[in-house]
Structure formats: structure tokens, C-alpha cells
Amino acid sequence: MSLNATSPQEPKLQLCVLHVVRTYDLTPHMRRIVLGGRDLETFDVPRNALGPYIKLLIPPKDIEPEWPVLNDDGRLIWPALERRPVMRTYSVRHFDKGNCELHVDFVMHGDRGVASAWANRAKPGDSVGLWGPGCTTTQNIDWYLFAGDQTALPAIAFILENLPATARGEAYIEIPAESEKQTFSKPLGVDVRWLLGKGETSALQDAVKAASWPAHSRVFVWAGAESAKARSIRSHMRAQRGLDRDQMYILNYWRRGQAEGGFGYLD
Ligand SMILES: Cc1cc2nc3c(=O)[nH]c(=O)nc-3n(C[C@H](O)[C@H](O)[C@H](O)COP(=O)(O)OP(=O)(O)OC[C@H]3O[C@@H](n4cnc5c(N)ncnc54)[C@H](O)[C@@H]3O)c2cc1C
């Protein structure tokens, strides 16, 4: 899931320097940061993207940020370590092209995480870099199965808001408390099931493993969650349901006890 390769089907990758326009809390543990800037004039995400994501370049605290530059091969050349921003992956929750505003929703998991701490202190005018977007797309799907913990809620909400009205399927979303529920539009034929689970609970995996879909339908399973949950869902779909690699997109969104960069998205 690196963002180095491009193909004609993929959105154009861009390196942007943006600023915080406004921030507000959606729920007790989810904060929306609205980003803006001229660089978004040429940015776009396909509406049919299944969870478009970006790499945010978080500047070091209290130091004037120095951004990477793109070389002729389209690769990022990074500044010296002490001035280098830290890269973290986030979903595009919403892109308002008319107003050049990008909405990114952060799970506030405390100040241990570079991105979570940044979201906690971010104020209008603060700079942040962006490299992206990246995404996956599918076609001719009869039945979608979505699963995610709270970090995948922004991606699932984006997908459901943009799926064709005729789409059918189920979405399982694990949240730590009732107060973390959100509302968003979705196709009538997609059922959203909220699961309450905190920490290492198996609520998400259990629900997904018990899920069924209409016989002979072309199924696509999309999931994003803490790596133990994602791995369990991935191996179930392969071994028990016999799904091929191109019928699923199941990513380790984060790993307990490890910062991003210390694990693979598909380990
Ligand atoms: C494609 C993709 C899209 C994603 N979209 C989103 C999104 O829209 N919103 C979002 O909030 N996250 C999203 N994530 C997950 C996010 O990238 C990780 O949670 C990331 O680790 C956060 O970075 P950080 O700097 O805050 O923490 P890190 O510096 O990476 O980690 C520091 C510590 O915090 C722990 N940690 C990391 N995330 C969490 C968490 N959620 N809860 C509890 N502990 C945690 C780690 O285990 C580690 O011990 C996405 C991930 C991927 C791969």
C-alpha cells in the first residue's frame, strides 16, 4: 500500500502543503480536521473509491516544517531527520472540491501517537503535508461486506455515502461506546450494524465470521481494523469462505503497541 506507483486507473498522486481550516469533535473520541489550501485545486478522489486514503505529513512540534520534494521519478526526497515530517495514513472522509476542503476524521487515542497528538493540538492556520490519494475500486459486485473498528469508520462512511443506491450488503462497525455512533447516508440495501467493543474484544471478528450472503452472489469483503482483528478476518475469508485475493481488501489499519511503519498492512 505504498504510494509510489501510479497507473492510468489510479487518481493522480499529489504532494500538497495544506493548512487547518477548522476542527471540531464529532463524538467524544473522534475529531474532524478540515484542511484547505490552493494545492487542493488539482486534488481529487474518485467517488467509487473503496476507502480513499492519504499520507499526512505531520510536522515536528515547535519546529518550522521542511517538506519533502518530488524528484523526476515521482519519488519523495526527504529533508534532514530532525526537520522531517512523520508520515501517517488517514482516510478521506469527504472532499468538497468546490470549496477546496478535505475532511479527515481522527480517532483520538491520546498523545502517544504523533498524529493523534497533532490532531489534539491542531488549530486554524497550522500546516500539514499530504501525499496521495490512494484507493482501490471494484466493479460488478452483488454483495458487499464491510467491517471495521473505529479507525475505519471514516472510510466506511465515505464508501456508503458514495455507493450506488442499488448496492446491497452489510457493514459491521465496532465502536468503544454508544456515544461514538455516527449518522451518514447509505444505500437502503446495506445494513449497518454497530458493535460495542473495547480493546481486544472479538466482537468484530465474531460478527463477520457469522455473516452470510446470498448464494451465488459476487461478493467483496472490505475491512480495516487493528491488525489482530484484520488478520483473523483475512484468514477466515481465505480459509473458511474460499475467497480469492481479488474478492477482498482487508488491511491492518494499526497495530497495538507499534507505531505506523513498524508493521505491514497485510501481515
Ligand atoms: C488505509 C488506512 C486508513 C486509515 N484511516 C484512518 C482514519 O481515517 N482515522 C483514524 O483515526 N485512523 C485511520 N487509520 C489508522 C491510523 O493510521 C493509525 O491509527 C495510526 O497508527 C495513527 O497514528 P498515530 O501517530 O496517532 O499513532 P502511532 O504513532 O502510529 O502509534 C503510537 C501508539 O499508538 C497506538 N495506536 C495507534 N492507533 C491507535 C488507535 N486508533 N487506538 C489506540 N491505539 C492506537 C499504537 O499501537 C502505538 O502503540 C488508517 C490506517 C490505514 C492503513
Side-chain angles (χ1 to χ4, degrees):
M1 221 203 45
S2 83
L3 285 175
N4 284 328
T6 51
S7 76
Q9 298 82 38
E10 287 175 343
K12 184 174 152 273
L13 280 179
Q14 274 187 232
L15 182 62
C16 305
V17 177
L18 305 177
H19 60 267
V20 174
V21 176
R22 58 188 178 278
T23 76
Y24 50 96
D25 290 337
L26 296 168
T27 61
H29 289 105
M30 183 77 91
R31 177 164 300 174
R32 172 158 300 164
I33 306 233
V34 178
L35 301 173
R38 298 286 305 268
D39 287 353
L40 290 177
E41 284 172 7
T42 46
F43 179 90
D44 213 352
V45 284
R47 300 295 289 268
N48 65 341
L50 292 183
Y53 57 86
I54 49 176
K55 301 286 181 181
L56 285 180
L57 310 178
I58 314 278
K61 198 176 170 197
D62 302 329
I63 293 181
E64 192 55 37
E66 204 174 301
W67 306 107
V69 289
L70 275 178
N71 73 4
D72 292 343
D73 302 331
R75 290 189 183 275
L76 296 179
I77 308 298
W78 292 89
L81 207 54
E82 62 283 2
R83 307 191 80 82
R84 184 179 291 188
V86 173
M87 190 137 91
R88 290 289 183 265
T89 311
Y90 278 82
S91 304
V92 172
R93 173 62 186 85
H94 176 70
F95 180 50
D96 176 351
K97 188 143 180 73
N99 290 310
C100 279
E101 286 189 351
L102 182 69
H103 295 199
V104 185
D105 293 353
F106 290 72
V107 172
M108 303 301 287
H109 65 90
D111 277 358
R112 277 177 316 152
V114 177
S116 176
W118 178 81
N120 200 20
R121 66 175 185 271
K123 54 181 191 323
D126 286 356
S127 301
V128 66
L130 177 155
W131 173 231
C135 69
T136 189
T137 54
T138 56
Q139 41 188 336
N140 301 324
I141 300 302
D142 301 319
W143 189 264
Y144 290 96
L145 177 59
F146 299 104
D149 65 15
Q150 198 174 9
T151 58
L153 172 50
I156 294 174
F158 176 99
I159 297 169
L160 295 186
E161 279 178 356
N162 289 291
L163 273 181
T166 51
R168 294 167 67 225
E170 283 175 345
Y172 294 93
I173 306 171
E174 187 185 284
I175 45 171
E178 191 81 26
S179 54
E180 297 298 328
K181 269 189 188 170
Q182 294 185 27
T183 48
F184 40 82
S185 62
K186 62 167 189 70
L188 262 181
V190 179
D191 241 9
V192 174
R193 314 259 172 100
W194 296 94
L195 307 166
L196 289 185
K198 223 174 184 169
E200 295 174 54
T201 155
S202 62
L204 187 66
Q205 304 92 293
D206 293 347
V208 169
K209 289 175 189 175
S212 58
W213 47 74
H216 311 301
S217 46
R218 285 163 298 189
V219 175
F220 191 82
V221 179
W222 185 103
E226 197 283 325
S227 66
K229 293 175 197 248
R231 192 183 316 121
S232 164
I233 295 171
R234 210 163 30 237
S235 60
H236 173 83
M237 290 302 159
R238 262 197 227 115
Q240 264 74 48
R241 305 295 184 105
L243 295 192
D244 291 333
R245 215 197 291 252
D246 62 356
Q247 291 178 286
M248 56 177 147
Y249 181 83
I250 303 175
L251 293 189
N252 304 331
Y253 262 33
W254 60 285
R255 177 165 293 171
R256 197 171 300 285
Q258 267 186 291
E260 184 174 348
F263 60 92
Y265 300 107
L266 290 167
D267 291 351

